[in-house]
Amino acid sequence: MAISRRLFLHRVGAAGGSGAAFAAMRVMGLAGVAAAAAGPALGADAGRGRSVAILGGGIAGLVCAYELERAGFKVTLLEARDRLGGRNWTLRNGSKVEMVGEATQTVAFSEGLYMNAGPARIPSHHDGLLSYCRKLGVPLEVEINSSRSAYLLAEGSGGGKPVQMRQGVNDTRGHISELLAKAIRKGALDEELTAEDREKLLPFLRFYGDLDADMAFKGTERSGLLQVPGAADQFAMPRPPLPLRDLLANPQLPAILFEDNINMQATMFQPVGGMDRVVDGFERAIESPIVRNAEIVQIRARDGGVAVAWKDRASGAKNTLTADYAVITIPLALLAKLDTNFDTPVKRAIAAVPNDYSNKIGFDAPRFWERQQIYGGISFVGGETNLVWYPSNDLGAERGMLLACYGSGPPAEAFARRTLAEQAAIARGVVGRLHPGHEASLEKPVVVNWSKVPFNMGPWPRWPGSRGGQEGHFESPEYMLLNQPHGRVHFAGAHLSQTPGWQEGAIFSAQRAIAALTAQVREHALAAA
Amino acid sequence: MAISRRLFLHRVGAAGGSGAAFAAMRVMGLAGVAAAAAGPALGADAGRGRSVAILGGGIAGLVCAYELERAGFKVTLLEARDRLGGRNWTLRNGSKVEMVGEATQTVAFSEGLYMNAGPARIPSHHDGLLSYCRKLGVPLEVEINSSRSAYLLAEGSGGGKPVQMRQGVNDTRGHISELLAKAIRKGALDEELTAEDREKLLPFLRFYGDLDADMAFKGTERSGLLQVPGAADQFAMPRPPLPLRDLLANPQLPAILFEDNINMQATMFQPVGGMDRVVDGFERAIESPIVRNAEIVQIRARDGGVAVAWKDRASGAKNTLTADYAVITIPLALLAKLDTNFDTPVKRAIAAVPNDYSNKIGFDAPRFWERQQIYGGISFVGGETNLVWYPSNDLGAERGMLLACYGSGPPAEAFARRTLAEQAAIARGVVGRLHPGHEASLEKPVVVNWSKVPFNMGPWPRWPGSRGGQEGHFESPEYMLLNQPHGRVHFAGAHLSQTPGWQEGAIFSAQRAIAALTAQVREHALAAA
C-alpha cells in the first residue's frame, strides 16, 4: 500500500560500505558517533590554489561550499533560485509558491505559523545533520512524531469511526498475543519452542497483550478509557476492544508500525522556527561567493577543469565560470536537459532517472486537535492525502499549521494532476471525516506539488531497478556510475545517497564527493610534481 | 546544539459542570475534554460567610484553597513545612533535603539543573492538571518519556550486554509474528480464524514483524543498524536479531510495554524549569492566608465546625484555628498520630493504612548519553534502582541531571534501609554497567527516600486489599469510608483517589471534596432557614 511504500524502509542488501572513513564510523547507538560525524577532516590547505564551482545551493551544495572553503579551496556556488536550501524550504506569511502550470500562491499564514514544504524532521541518529546544527548554532526542539491520541482513519474498512492510535497499537497486540498463546497451549509450536521456552513465553504474552488469567484478550487500559480513574469510586473503565477483524479491515492499521521505522523513532527533532534555519546557519558560515538567480545553461568538462555557462535570471545576462573542479548537485532530471559534454554513458545514466512525486498541503487553523488531547503526532488517513500531521511547535498557541497532506509515489502523481483547489478541498474533507465539524475552520491552504516546483520538478528520483521513492537502489548501474567522478566533475546530492528523501543523504553524498575531490587534488599535485 | 524551551501558552479553559459532572465528562480523546476539566463551577457567593480550614499545602490543599476562595469562602491554609507543594518538590542548587535519621543533604547541582523529587511528568489526558497549568500560566515542554535508543539492562539474563529499546521492541515483535504465522499456516488456529481472517492476518503479520517472504524473522532495520544507509554503496546493514530466548531471559523485557501504560503514553509534558512551577502558579493565584511551619497537633470536629490546634515550628508558639469546615489532606499515616476526636471507625480506617516506599537518586553529570543518541527517555535496569531516566530539558546543554534511581514498593523498602552513600554507590554502579566508563563522571548525588521525608513519611499509601502502590484500591472499605465527609471534616488528597501516585489524583480528590463541602453548605443553609 502507498503508505508502507513511502513510510517504511525496506531492507537493502548487505554489501560492504566504502564511504568515507568518518561515514563508515556511523554506527547507531555507539559512543562518540556524534563527534565522529562532525565532518571530513581536511587540512586547511588541502585546496590551496584550487578552485571549485558548486552547482546548486541545496544542503549538498551548502555542505560542499562550507567544507571546501575551510579546506582552502576558492569556492563559487551558483544557485538558480533567489533562495538557498533546495528542498529545505519553509513557507511563512508572504512566501511565494511558484509551480509550473499553476497560479503563484502567496502564503497568508498567521504570524508565527510556518510549513516545512520539504524535510520537516531529524531523527536522533542523523549525526551528520545534528552535528551541523551544533556547529552552525541552529536551535532544535523535539518533533513529536507519534501521539497515542492521533487516529487511523478507517475509510474503506468496516469500522467507519476513526480508530485512536492507542487502540490500533494495543488492541492489535492483545489479539495477536491471545492467538499465539492459544496455539502454544494447543501444542502447535512444540517443535519450535522447548517446554522451557513455552514456560517463559506464555506469561510474557499475558503481559504483552494484557490478557486475563485465562489468556483471553478482553480489552486493556492501554487502548484508552471510557472513564479515567478519578476520586473515590470513579474507577477506570477501559474501552471495549476492537475486534481483530475490524482492525485488519482498517487500511491504515500498518501505520501503527510507523513509529518504529528506523528514521521515525523517538527521539525526533526539528529546528525551532522552521527547517530553513539550517540553511540560514550555512549561509551565515559560508564566506565564499554565492550567486543567486544563476541558471546553468551549459557545462563543459575539460582536462584542466570545468567551464560553466549560466544566465542571470534577473537581468538575462550571460556569464561563464571556470574552475579546476566542479560539484554538480542539480537534480538529474533537470541536468539531463542541460547542454553538457559528458561521455555518452554518463549522459545516458543521467537521462535514465525520472523523478518521483510528492505533495504537501498546509492549513492555518485553530488548534482544535489539542482540545482532543492530540499534541503533535500524526493521524494516518490513506488515500491521496495519506496523513494529517499535527504541529510540534508552540503547543497551546491559538492557531497552528495543520499539514493535511503528505503523500508520495503513484497516489501523489495522480493527486498532483488535480487543480490546487481540488487538492485543498480533498484534504479539507479528510480532516472533516477525522475531526468532524472542524473542516470549516481550516484556512489559507497552501499546496506544494514538488513535481511542479521549478529547479526540482520532483522530490527525489525513481531509480531504475529501485522499488520506489525512498528506498535504497542497489540494483541501479546508473546510480553507481554517477557516484563516480567524471573527470573533474563530481556529482552529489541526496539523490546519490541511500536516503534520497532525507537531508542526511545529501550530507553523506556531499562528504563523499568532498573526499573524492580532495583525493583527486592530491593525485593531480603528485602528477604535476 | 542548543534546544529551546517551547512555551505552552494556553488561554484559560472555559469552566463547566459540577465537580462530579466535569469529572465524569473526562473521557479520553473526546472533543472538549480539556475545556471541561477546567474546574468546578461554583457561584462566587457559594461560600459567603463561611470559613474553611485547609490542612496541608500539597496539590490537593492548593486546589481547595484556590477554588474555595473563588467561591467566597474565608480560607486559611496551614502547611507544616516552610514550602508548599508536598510531594511536588523540585531540588536545585542549595536545596536542603532533610530526612528522618539521615544527615541533611544540601544540593550542589550546576546552574540550571534540577531534580523533581516527586512527580515529574504530566500525561496529555490529565486535563485537570493541564487546565490548572493553563489557568496559572505555567509553561510546559515535552517530556520525552520513551527513547528507542535507551536500554534494557540485561542483568540476571544470559545476554550481558544492554539491549537497546529498539531491539527489545522490534526483535520481540518479529519473533512473535513469526511464531504466530507458523501456527496459522499449520492450521492450529483454524477454529479461531476463518480462511478470510487468515488471508488478512498473514500479510499483516509479515509487515508487523518485518518477516521475509518465507514468513521467517531474520532481523529488521527497526531494531537498529550496524551501518546506516550512506552515500553510494554504503548500504544499510541491520543488526542481527536477538534470539527470542535471550529476549525472554532479560528481566527488563516487559519494560518495552512501559510506553503503552495509559499514564505514560506520548505526548507527555513537564513544566519548564521544574514541577514546582505548578506550586508557584497556585501561590501566585491564592490570596487567602497561607501559614507555613504550622504543624498540626490536634483536630476537634464539632457540630458547628472544626477547631485545629497547631504549633509554629519556628517559634514553638501554640495557636488555634477554628472554621466552619475543614479539608484535611494530611497523609493518613501521619494523621493517625494526631490527637483527633474522630469516630472510632474513622480513626481505625486512618490507622489501617500504611505508607508505601519510593526512592529517587539524581546526579549532576556531563550529557554522555546524548553522545549515544539518547535524548530523554528511560533505560530500565531492574533491581533496587529500577531505571535511569534521562533529562528532557535543555537537550544539548553541557551537563544534565541524570535520575539514576526511581523505585517503589518492596525493593524500594529494602533499598531505603541502606546508607545514603551505599544507595548512591549502587546507582552509580548501575549507570556504569549501562554506560561503561561514565560512572566516574556522575557528581553531587542527591538521595530522596520518601519514607524518611518529614510530613510525608512515604510516597502514597498501601491500601489494605489493594494489589500494591499505584493501583486502584476498590477492595478497601477504609478507602470508601474516608472518601465520605466526617461531619464538617472532609478528607482529600491523591491518596483518596484512584491514582495516588499522580497529581491528577490530588486534583480529582480535591474537586470531589469541594463538591461535597459546597453541597453541605447548601444543606446547612436550608436547615438554618
Side-chain angles (χ1 to χ4, degrees), chain B residues 344-420:
Chain B
T344 307
V346 173
K347 283 190 168 183
R348 282 217 190 95
I350 292 169
V353 188
N355 275 334
D356 197 356
Y357 294 77
S358 187
N359 309 304
K360 277 190 174 181
I361 300 177
F363 289 94
D364 180 332
R367 296 188 180 231
F368 55 83
W369 54 90
E370 294 186 358
R371 294 281 178 226
Q372 299 175 34
Q373 302 173 339
I374 300 172
Y375 300 91
I378 300 172
S379 287
F380 295 87
V381 302
E384 292 174 303
T385 58
N386 192 45
L387 56 70
V388 174
W389 190 348
Y390 309 94
S392 296
N393 62 297
D394 302 301
L395 297 178
E398 196 50 41
R399 303 184 69 82
M401 192 287 297
L402 187 68
L403 194 82
C405 167
Y406 176 29
S408 305
E413 182 173 0
F415 193 59
R417 285 198 213 97
R418 302 177 179 277
T419 66
L420 302 191

Side-chain angles (χ1 to χ4, degrees), chain B residues 49-72:
Chain B
R50 312 291 182 156
S51 59
V52 181
I54 297 170
L55 310 190
I59 295 300
L62 291 168
V63 168
C64 288
Y66 176 89
E67 298 294 348
L68 290 173
E69 80 176 15
R70 271 152 191 73

Side-chain angles (χ1 to χ4, degrees), chain A residues 398-521:
Chain A
E398 191 53 35
R399 304 184 67 83
M401 191 289 295
L402 187 68
L403 194 82
C405 167
Y406 176 25
S408 305
E413 183 172 0
F415 193 58
R417 283 197 215 98
R418 301 178 180 276
T419 67
L420 302 191
E422 267 184 302
Q423 293 181 48
I426 289 169
R428 180 191 298 276
V430 172
V431 171
R433 294 196 289 286
L434 198 62
H435 300 283
H438 293 288
E439 59 270 37
S441 70
L442 304 180
E443 299 176 11
K444 321 286 189 192
V446 177
V447 179
V448 175
N449 302 140
W450 277 100
S451 52
K452 303 171 185 172
V453 175
F455 306 111
N456 286 98
M457 302 306 285
W460 45 73
R462 278 185 191 167
W463 286 97
S466 85
R467 273 181 255 96
Q470 296 199 34
E471 291 174 26
H473 16 71
F474 36 90
E475 298 106 338
S476 165
E478 293 85 355
Y479 170 83
M480 286 308 181
L481 177 62
L482 296 176
N483 259 296
Q484 306 304 321
H486 180 258
R488 288 164 172 249
V489 170
H490 298 259
F491 301 105
H495 54 280
L496 288 168
S497 80
Q498 296 288 325
T499 50
W502 294 87
Q503 295 174 94
E504 190 76 347
I507 293 168
F508 266 112
S509 178
Q511 292 177 337
R512 184 177 189 283
I514 290 163
L517 193 153
T518 49
Q520 207 173 43
V521 169

Side-chain angles (χ1 to χ4, degrees), chain A residues 74-382:
Chain A
K74 180 174 177 299
V75 171
T76 306
L77 189 153
L78 301 180
E79 164 56 47
R81 296 186 174 100
D82 56 5
R83 67 167 182 87
L84 297 173
R87 284 172 290 165
N88 179 323
W89 185 25
T90 303
L91 303 173
R92 301 178 180 82
N93 188 47
S95 301
K96 300 245 182 267
V97 179
E98 292 172 4
M99 300 195 295
V100 175
E102 305 287 358
T104 295
Q105 304 170 79
T106 301
V107 178
F109 286 164
S110 308
E111 183 57 34
L113 270 56
Y114 65 84
M115 169 178 166
N116 289 322
R121 52 193 156 201
I122 309 174
S124 45
H125 68 281
H126 280 194
D127 291 316
L129 183 51
L130 289 175
S131 299
Y132 281 116
C133 288
R134 241 176 251 121
K135 277 189 190 180
L136 302 172
V138 178
L140 302 180
E141 64 190 341
V142 174
E143 187 271 331
I144 305 164
N145 213 30
S146 178
S147 161
R148 284 286 185 264
S149 298
Y151 292 99
L152 304 165
L153 190 58
E155 295 196 347
S157 77
K161 272 189 68 180
V163 171
Q164 215 171 29
M165 188 62 75
R166 56 172 57 91
Q167 293 176 286
V169 169
N170 293 294
D171 285 352
T172 300
R173 186 166 42 215
H175 290 297
I176 283 173
S177 301
E178 180 188 88
L179 286 169
L180 181 54
K182 278 185 177 147
I184 290 169
R185 294 166 104 192
K186 286 179 176 182
L189 293 164
D190 288 0
E191 296 161 19
E192 290 78 6
L193 300 167
T194 67
E196 192 197 342
D197 293 336
R198 299 195 297 272
E199 263 167 44
K200 283 192 167 158
L201 182 52
L202 282 170
F204 176 75
L205 284 174
R206 184 182 171 185
F207 181 73
Y208 194 62
D210 200 5
L211 309 181
D212 67 13
D214 305 325
M215 301 297 279
F217 179 60
K218 300 278 181 61
T220 172
E221 286 191 358
R222 297 168 186 164
S223 295
L225 303 166
L226 290 180
Q227 178 173 271
V228 300
D233 58 353
Q234 186 184 316
F235 300 118
M237 286 169 46
R239 279 178 175 157
L242 297 169
L244 178 60
R245 195 164 296 168
D246 292 2
L247 289 163
L248 291 173
N250 187 321
Q252 268 50 265
L253 187 64
I256 64 176
L257 278 301
F258 173 76
E259 66 180 7
D260 276 310
N261 175 320
I262 193 62
N263 283 320
M264 298 298 173
Q265 292 179 5
T267 307
M268 303 284 291
F269 299 110
Q270 63 185 16
V272 175
M275 190 57 81
D276 63 354
R277 301 300 195 223
V278 174
V279 179
D280 298 344
F282 276 110
E283 204 171 341
R284 282 193 305 270
I286 294 170
E287 292 166 6
S288 305
I290 294 175
V291 186
R292 291 176 175 71
N293 293 308
E295 183 171 358
I296 312 301
V297 292
Q298 186 192 67
I299 302 169
R300 288 286 177 268
R302 302 183 184 134
D303 288 352
V306 183
V308 178
W310 57 277
K311 186 184 76 186
D312 184 321
R313 294 176 60 224
S315 66
K318 293 192 162 48
N319 304 271
T320 307
L321 171 69
T322 60
D324 301 324
Y325 303 89
V327 180
I328 299 178
T329 71
I330 298 168
L332 300 178
L334 302 180
L335 185 57
K337 299 200 174 92
L338 299 186
D339 167 12
T340 71
N341 67 337
F342 301 150
D343 296 343
T344 306
V346 172
K347 283 189 168 183
R348 281 217 191 94
I350 292 169
V353 188
N355 274 335
D356 197 0
Y357 294 77
S358 186
N359 309 304
K360 277 189 174 182
I361 300 177
F363 289 95
D364 179 331
R367 296 188 180 231
F368 54 83
W369 53 90
E370 293 186 359
R371 294 282 179 228
Q372 299 174 35
Q373 302 173 338
I374 300 173
Y375 301 91
I378 299 172
S379 287
F380 296 87
V381 303

Side-chain angles (χ1 to χ4, degrees), chain A residues 11 140-141 148 232 260 479, chain B residues 3 6 148 219 232 260 479:
Chain A
R11 192 176 307 124
L140 302 180
E141 64 190 341
R148 284 286 185 264
D260 276 310
Y479 170 83
Chain B
I3 304 205
R6 298 279 76 194
R148 283 288 185 262
D260 276 310
Y479 170 82

